[in-house]
Amino acid sequence: MLFYSFFKTLIGHQVTVELKNDLAITGILTSVDQFLNIKLDEIRVVDDTKYPHMMAVKNCFIRGSVVRYVQLPASAVDTALLQDAARREAQQPTTAAAHTMNR
Amino acid sequence: MSDSFFGFDTTLPPLDSDQLTGLGETIGGQKDEIEEEELESKFKGISLDSGEDFEVYDDERDFCLDTQLEETGDDYNDETFGQVGDIGQDFDYTESTAKIVNTIQKEEEIYVNRRESSNNSENVDEPNKRRPSYAALWGNDSNIIVNGHSPPLPEPPISPSIWGTFHPPSNRKDSLSLVQDGTIPQRYTPPQTSPLPPGFGLSSNRMPMTLEEIEAQLIKQAGLPEKKMLSLAEVEAAIMGINGRPQQLPIHATSEAAYRDQETIAYLEQEALREQEALMYRERKRREKQRKLADMSRYNGLMTQSDKDWINKIQISQLVTDDPYADDFYFQVYSAIRNRQTQPHMSAFSPHGGAGFMGHERRHRSRGSESGLLKMQQQVLRIVNDARRKPKLTQLSLEGALGKIALNSVRNPRQLLQVSSKHNETHHHTGPGSGNHQQHQKIPSISSHGIIDHRKVLRSIENVYTAVLALEELRRNQPPLPRPYVDHEREAIEKWNEEYTELAKTMWEELRVTEMIGVSYPHPFISILSVAKGKKVIPRVLRHCLPDQILTLITMLVANFETLDVCKGAIWGTQGVVSPAMLDEVELYMNTVVPPLLQFVAEAPMRIVLGLFGLFVERNNIVWVARSKVGLAFLTMFLSRTEILKQGGGAMQGLPLPEERELSQWQEIYNRLFSLLQNHFLSLFPPFNIGIDDMYVWQFLAAMAVGASTDQQHILVTEVRERVLDTVIQATRLANDKSSSHKIANVNLFLNALGLDASQLKI
Amino acid sequence: MTEETNTAPVEPAAVEEPLDLVRLSLDERIYVKLRGDRELRGKLHAYDGHLNMVLSEVEETITIVEINDETYEEVIRTVKRTLEMLFVRGDGVILVSPPVRTGS
């Protein structure tokens, strides 16, 4: 849930989603879910001469599994807090061993 | 028993009769109804308006009948029913209803009939068709048509209702008999003179033609003798009627119709055929839908509303936790920080890991629009807690089942590797008392001997973070101060204190401050400080430290200062090469480690400051250390604090003026420092003109100058004179530049301490 | 804790889960090898069990092997770009390691 939580804070910011087929789409992040499926608005394909069929598309839904990268605005990321969140996530009881320890 | 006593008004909604007749009977009744209607539509080919098909969806009303029952106003029940004893909620419906079964049946029949007549209210011709006399029927119909219907001329679509009359309904015995018996009140049979409802034409248009009807048409078209005189007559009569012609006698109409244009008939026929096709298609669709509905209706009522609610809750509990910080930490805290930043009163503290505000935020979250969420969370809380209490199994093997059922979730994914953790096991056995915190399990043991490599340092730091995060969370969840004589509150705070102390102890040990000096190089604590995130954690660590722990920490730092990366790696040589990455580290150190230590020193008494100062000068190669920014910062810190205390500034903190012994001790240290730095003062500066702000050096020189004797001041000025002049010259050249005034201000820091000013300088 | 430090010196590094090693690299520069001959070097800010990650100051290196049409020789070409802040989907990750110490 860490990255779901993380992406929620980026809603409204411009991001560039790079897909595994090398298509890169820049747009405003409008929503995200726990599978990290992504909805973008006001989209623009980075290399639109290569993908002319995307010209007419104004917004899109991207299945999380086809994403390779998401380029983010660094100013919208609190790295120290993000590290803390990652540490907390790492401590969440995920293994059988951890389950025997109650909090 | 009369009908009126039970309030059986057939105009009431069906719910009432359901309530009284009980669950089973209602469903049975409904099913009969469905079958009946199905049959009816099959035979007559009348398509019902799909909007009011059946009640298969109305399952809500079958639930919780007992809760819907009125429990009040039954004071006279005993009088009416006789003494029946205590009535609970476990009603025996069949027994009660048996008493009135006859009435119920009758009522039901009436109800069914009423429903049909209302269902088919659009087909008002239906009750008419049940009449024994067709002649009367037609007479009636034509009147109605004339009265209520004004079809367009000259080629109107034929009303297929005429075809329907060839096949009078055969399955209407029950209602028919009721009509004949006169059981149905008169109002259920529409008065013969009443105008048709507006829907008449629409629904009658849907009447499909049968093969016979088509045949009849064909025969008539071919001019063959008419086998079905009456039928044809009726056809023509209907045409007449639609055409708006007055219709006196069927026979007369027939003779008239014989001369009618063949084209009209052909057209009508085509229309009828086309219409029939469409109707058949619609009918097929409707049947299909009906069949599906009937199929599904088998499952109606399998789940009660509370079942559904239960499942909803389970699903929600997967998404909502009682602690949003557990799964949604980043979002929650980030939003909180952003909200605070938009507010005018911002905390001076760095937002990172600020323990205080989170608790504050939490208390104010459940307001206004979020009360709905809160309500849901409360509902879910129980389920969440239940789930937590149960050990989360990764597998479930049911008795008698082959194999195991995996119980995986986002939190608990399938493990691909099963590494048995020896460490964890031993820990469970050895430390049952301290095993309350999962953090312990995350903290691997590190040998107190041997060389500490980078990974071990990182591990130490992560362990410190783990403890700090846990401490911060504990702080957020700190129970309120106990009221006197409230045992559980006192116990809660005691338990909390215990946990907190335990964790703070863990954190302190992980910092490794108290390890022997000289066993490893550099000292483990210094190694921690040599990593960026090790520096970053220091302010957060110090919030949970006791004063003497902080003192120990500073002492350790001062004693090993020259081994710090930001000291040894950031010393300006004559060539002046310090990597940009190291400059970043220095800045980080100045922004993270120094402020809390500075704060501590700024409150410390003379004795402690002198101890640290002396240790610093004694333990480190001062000429070397002083050439680093951080080293000078520490020296400046000690010098300025001692100066303040010497001048009685400690009075504000309730500290007495330094004793004579302390003053002489100070003088001793100062002189030692001065003599060490003599002839090196100029080398403290970073290389000129490489864009490094040298303010910190001027600050140090100022601090030195304040405590210096006249001779020492003279030495100082002589040594740095060149730099002063260079800086002032440069500042004059850049007269209009912003950096100009800053440079002058820097120089003045030092000059003012000597009682001079840059403006007095003649260049 | 004292019990641990006393009992454990024989076993300097206790058995850990692999992801715990990744945790050590939080706020440190790391090297990530990805599918499709891609490599990343950047500072790690977050990761999860799927090895989804957020990196900053990222340098991406794509290795492209081209075969010369005439000589049939393999020509290896690398394309580099830098990205300020990057989310990396975990399913493309092959390995994560600290950067070569001498390199940084």
Side-chain angles (χ1 to χ4, degrees):
Chain A
M1 296 294 270
L2 167 64
F3 287 98
Y4 170 52
S5 188
F6 172 64
F7 272 111
K8 279 200 289 181
T9 65
L10 293 169
I11 285 173
H13 288 93
Q14 180 169 292
V15 298
T16 300
V17 180
E18 194 175 321
L19 309 185
K20 286 178 180 142
N21 65 357
D22 291 340
L23 177 65
I25 304 170
T26 302
I28 308 290
L29 183 68
T30 53
S31 77
V32 66
D33 66 12
Q34 65 262 51
F35 306 108
L36 305 185
N37 299 324
I38 284 172
K39 268 193 197 168
L40 294 182
D41 213 346
E42 299 170 34
I43 64 162
R44 176 165 55 80
V45 172
V46 174
D47 187 0
D48 52 1
T49 51
K50 204 172 159 191
Y51 304 95
H53 57 282
M54 293 293 289
M55 294 273 274
V57 185
K58 287 282 162 285
N59 51 54
C60 64
F61 175 92
I62 300 168
R63 191 184 150 98
S65 62
V66 301
V67 172
R68 180 190 290 136
Y69 303 137
V70 184
Q71 297 171 31
L72 313 165
S75 59
V77 179
D78 185 335
T79 52
L81 181 61
L82 187 56
Q83 289 163 22
D84 275 0
R87 290 185 177 106
R88 288 178 65 106
E89 179 88 356
Q91 278 164 244
Q92 298 256 342
T94 52
T95 62
H99 284 309
T100 59
M101 319 278 294
N102 56 346
R103 301 179 66 202
Chain B
M1 286 186 240
S2 75
D3 295 353
S4 60
F5 173 80
F6 288 100
F8 271 128
D9 182 355
T10 45
T11 58
L12 284 175
L15 190 62
D16 295 56
S17 81
D18 288 342
Q19 278 182 319
L20 281 160
T21 52
L23 196 66
E25 282 187 37
T26 311
I27 289 168
Q30 268 182 287
K31 278 193 177 155
D32 288 344
E33 221 171 279
I34 292 164
E35 281 165 24
E36 215 168 62
E37 286 188 14
E38 244 174 325
L39 278 172
E40 181 187 323
S41 63
K42 267 180 200 164
F43 279 99
K44 294 194 296 163
I46 293 170
S47 78
L48 293 166
D49 191 339
S50 59
E52 50 174 1
D53 262 357
F54 305 110
E55 309 213 340
V56 285
Y57 289 123
D58 286 357
D59 42 8
E60 286 93 345
R61 63 175 185 169
D62 294 336
F63 306 130
C64 312
L65 288 182
D66 50 350
T67 60
Q68 287 177 12
L69 280 175
E70 281 264 52
E71 293 290 330
T72 57
D74 48 6
D75 305 343
Y76 297 101
N77 274 1
D78 287 354
E79 213 178 295
T80 314
F81 290 105
Q83 198 71 32
V84 289
D86 192 21
I87 298 174
Q89 290 205 344
D90 51 340
F91 292 113
D92 183 357
Y93 289 107
T94 48
E95 198 181 51
S96 332
T97 50
K99 297 175 189 168
I100 52 165
V101 68
N102 288 331
T103 321
I104 287 166
Q105 275 171 359
K106 255 186 188 176
E107 287 293 340
E108 206 178 353
E109 278 170 355
I110 292 166
Y111 167 63
V112 164
N113 189 47
R114 184 182 64 83
R115 267 187 52 81
E116 274 156 13
S117 59
S118 65
N119 272 355
N120 301 326
S121 61
E122 298 165 22
N123 309 332
V124 180
D125 55 333
E126 196 177 81
N128 294 339
K129 279 183 242 157
R130 294 177 195 135
R131 294 163 149 267
S133 154
Y134 288 119
L137 168 69
W138 280 106
N140 182 35
D141 262 7
S142 60
N143 281 342
I144 290 164
I145 289 161
V146 170
N147 290 344
H149 214 67
S150 52
L153 290 168
E155 290 187 353
I158 187 164
S159 165
S161 67
I162 55 171
W163 311 119
T165 56
F166 290 119
H167 301 277
S170 56
N171 66 320
R172 306 303 309 169
K173 280 190 182 117
D174 49 350
S175 5
L176 203 57
S177 63
L178 283 170
V179 174
Q180 283 164 343
D181 294 346
T183 321
I184 298 177
Q186 190 56 38
R187 59 186 159 123
Y188 290 120
T189 325
Q192 295 189 5
T193 51
S194 75
L196 267 185
F200 170 74
L202 197 88
S203 64
S204 60
N205 276 342
R206 294 184 192 166
M207 302 283 274
M209 283 204 308
T210 65
L211 199 60
E212 284 171 88
E213 289 159 2
I214 298 163
E215 199 186 353
Q217 280 288 309
L218 289 171
I219 288 164
K220 183 172 158 284
Q221 207 175 350
L224 287 173
E226 294 137 354
K227 287 177 196 166
K228 295 186 176 180
M229 282 300 289
L230 186 63
S231 306
L232 194 59
E234 280 172 4
V235 170
E236 297 306 319
I239 294 165
M240 290 298 105
I242 288 163
N243 284 344
R245 290 210 185 177
Q247 191 181 24
Q248 281 85 31
L249 282 167
I251 304 301
H252 174 64
T254 315
S255 58
E256 252 192 30
Y259 303 104
R260 288 203 60 84
D261 192 1
Q262 287 282 330
E263 280 178 27
T264 312
I265 293 169
Y267 167 80
L268 291 172
E269 206 170 82
Q270 277 177 353
E271 276 289 290
L273 273 169
R274 216 176 300 141
E275 211 160 86
Q276 194 197 12
E277 270 171 33
L279 276 172
M280 300 260 279
Y281 175 74
R282 273 193 298 231
E283 176 65 12
R284 263 203 311 278
K285 290 277 265 187
R286 198 188 61 82
R287 293 251 178 87
E288 183 66 16
K289 188 182 168 194
Q290 212 168 323
R291 195 189 55 75
K292 277 183 185 163
L293 285 177
D295 207 35
M296 284 191 297
S297 69
R298 279 188 297 158
Y299 305 111
N300 281 355
L302 276 181
M303 287 173 72
T304 63
Q305 194 56 43
S306 64
D307 288 340
K308 291 173 189 170
D309 289 346
W310 177 251
I311 285 176
N312 280 342
K313 278 182 198 167
I314 291 173
Q315 287 174 338
I316 291 165
S317 72
Q318 301 290 314
L319 302 172
V320 181
T321 61
D322 58 337
D323 182 10
Y325 289 111
D327 280 332
D328 204 14
F329 179 80
Y330 184 83
F331 178 81
Q332 298 287 341
V333 179
Y334 188 90
S335 309
I337 292 168
R338 282 292 147 118
N339 288 341
R340 280 160 53 86
Q341 282 176 353
T342 55
Q343 284 164 7
H345 303 294
M346 254 177 58
S347 166
F349 272 96
S350 151
H352 306 320
F357 76 87
M358 291 183 208
H360 178 77
E361 198 63 30
R362 179 174 221 179
R363 257 173 258 130
H364 289 86
R365 229 169 330 123
S366 58
R367 266 193 288 168
S369 61
E370 297 195 17
S371 64
L373 180 68
L374 186 77
K375 202 174 168 186
M376 187 177 70
Q377 283 177 346
Q378 283 169 346
Q379 280 184 330
V380 162
L381 189 64
R382 198 185 67 236
I383 308 167
V384 175
N385 286 342
D386 283 352
R388 185 170 288 172
R389 242 173 268 134
K390 289 173 196 157
K392 282 193 181 167
L393 301 167
T394 51
Q395 281 187 328
L396 173 75
S397 43
L398 292 172
E399 206 175 326
L402 296 171
K404 290 172 176 172
I405 301 162
L407 299 172
N408 299 321
S409 69
V410 182
R411 283 271 121 264
N412 189 17
R414 187 164 65 103
Q415 259 189 306
L416 295 175
L417 284 174
Q418 289 280 355
V419 185
S420 65
S421 174
K422 277 182 196 169
H423 168 71
N424 289 339
E425 282 161 23
T426 53
H427 179 71
H428 293 319
H429 295 309
T430 52
S434 58
N436 292 331
H437 313 294
Q438 66 173 75
Q439 286 75 25
H440 284 228
Q441 164 247 334
K442 282 278 172 191
I443 295 164
S445 317
I446 295 172
S447 165
S448 42
H449 311 290
I451 302 156
I452 304 208
D453 65 11
H454 188 64
R455 185 187 291 179
K456 283 180 185 167
V457 172
L458 291 178
R459 190 170 292 138
S460 288
I461 295 170
E462 285 303 327
N463 290 337
V464 171
Y465 268 104
T466 303
V468 167
L469 284 167
L471 282 169
E472 285 170 355
E473 192 174 348
L474 263 183
R475 277 269 181 98
R476 285 198 296 272
N477 299 329
Q478 183 168 12
L481 281 177
R483 288 166 292 181
Y485 311 117
V486 184
D487 276 354
H488 69 270
E489 285 184 4
R490 192 171 43 79
E491 279 165 22
I493 195 87
E494 275 172 11
K495 187 168 172 289
W496 184 88
N497 276 333
E498 206 176 289
E499 278 183 55
Y500 187 87
T501 315
E502 181 73 23
L503 266 176
K505 186 166 160 275
T506 307
M507 180 195 75
W508 180 248
E509 280 160 2
E510 285 301 332
L511 275 176
R512 304 162 67 77
V513 171
T514 52
E515 295 211 3
M516 292 271 289
I517 296 172
V519 174
S520 58
Y521 179 86
H523 186 270
F525 177 62
I526 300 298
S527 300
I528 286 174
L529 286 181
S530 299
V531 181
K533 55 180 167 177
K535 296 182 181 76
K536 287 177 191 169
V537 82
I538 292 300
R540 297 168 67 177
V541 160
L542 291 178
R543 267 179 225 140
H544 306 286
C545 282
L546 304 168
D548 57 335
Q549 284 177 328
I550 298 177
L551 179 59
T552 314
L553 188 143
I554 296 183
T555 310
M556 189 55 71
L557 179 60
V558 161
N560 296 283
F561 202 85
E562 61 187 10
T563 57
L564 265 180
D565 66 330
V566 286
C567 177
K568 68 180 178 194
I571 288 168
W572 295 106
T574 42
Q575 287 81 29
V577 182
V578 174
S579 71
M582 185 50 79
L583 286 178
D584 287 347
E585 289 291 304
V586 169
E587 276 313 298
L588 185 63
Y589 182 89
M590 294 300 290
N591 290 328
T592 56
V593 181
V594 173
L597 298 185
L598 188 63
Q599 196 190 345
F600 177 82
V601 170
E603 290 165 6
M606 191 66 165
R607 178 178 52 84
I608 286 174
V609 185
L610 282 177
L612 290 171
F613 192 11
L615 190 67
F616 192 89
V617 174
E618 185 191 324
R619 290 275 311 182
N620 299 293
N621 181 344
I622 286 298
V623 180
W624 179 255
V625 167
R627 279 158 67 186
S628 72
K629 185 175 180 178
V630 291
L632 267 197
F634 263 67
L635 284 173
T636 311
M637 178 169 81
F638 293 134
L639 283 170
S640 53
R641 176 62 184 165
T642 47
E643 191 59 39
I644 288 168
L645 286 171
K646 270 164 65 187
Q647 293 169 8
M652 282 162 65
Q653 292 141 334
L655 296 173
L657 272 171
E659 297 166 17
E660 199 59 41
R661 186 177 52 82
E662 286 171 339
L663 286 174
S664 64
Q665 194 187 347
W666 177 85
Q667 197 59 55
E668 203 178 298
I669 298 168
Y670 181 89
N671 288 341
R672 170 126 179 88
L673 177 66
F674 197 94
S675 61
L676 283 170
L677 287 177
Q678 198 168 355
N679 301 324
H680 298 285
F681 281 112
L682 197 56
S683 69
L684 303 183
F685 284 97
F688 200 63
N689 269 342
I690 59 163
I692 303 284
D693 185 9
D694 53 5
M695 183 173 80
Y696 67 95
V697 187
W698 296 111
Q699 280 176 330
F700 168 73
L701 290 177
M704 283 300 278
V706 168
S709 64
T710 321
D711 286 349
Q712 286 167 331
Q713 283 186 351
H714 188 72
I715 295 166
L716 263 179
V717 171
T718 315
E719 282 202 32
V720 300
R721 187 172 173 274
E722 202 179 317
R723 182 83 178 195
V724 171
L725 290 175
D726 284 351
T727 308
V728 173
I729 288 167
Q730 197 192 28
T732 330
R733 271 194 212 129
L734 301 167
N736 296 325
D737 202 89
K738 278 180 191 168
S739 62
S740 167
S741 56
H742 181 67
K743 284 180 193 298
I744 295 291
N746 281 347
V747 176
N748 271 341
L749 278 174
F750 171 60
L751 292 181
N752 291 354
L754 296 166
L756 300 169
D757 195 275
S759 55
Q760 300 168 327
L761 289 175
K762 286 171 192 163
I763 303 156
Chain C
M1 278 316 296
T2 45
E3 321 160 278
E4 280 186 22
T5 39
N6 291 342
T7 53
V10 204
E11 195 183 10
V15 180
E16 289 183 326
E17 286 176 48
L19 276 180
D20 289 345
L21 291 174
V22 180
R23 181 179 168 175
L24 299 185
S25 294
L26 273 175
D27 205 18
E28 297 273 293
R29 290 191 75 80
I30 56 165
Y31 164 82
V32 182
K33 191 166 162 59
L34 294 166
R35 287 164 182 265
D37 296 320
R38 284 164 195 265
E39 294 162 284
L40 299 174
R41 283 176 181 81
K43 198 192 251 187
L44 178 69
H45 294 295
Y47 71 94
D48 67 7
H50 307 286
L51 280 180
N52 294 326
M53 284 180 280
V54 169
L55 303 176
S56 71
E57 299 153 47
V58 189
E59 185 190 68
E60 187 198 34
T61 310
I62 311 172
T63 309
I64 302 167
V65 180
E66 286 168 341
I67 294 170
N68 190 307
D69 288 339
E70 290 158 15
T71 60
Y72 297 103
E73 277 175 11
E74 285 190 353
V75 181
I76 295 172
R77 196 160 62 87
T78 58
V79 179
K80 289 195 180 197
R81 60 171 173 165
T82 56
L83 303 151
E84 200 179 12
M85 187 69 71
L86 189 70
F87 166 79
V88 183
R89 177 106 184 161
D91 51 8
V93 174
I94 292 172
L95 74 83
V96 179
S97 86
V100 183
R101 296 288 292 163
T102 52
S104 62

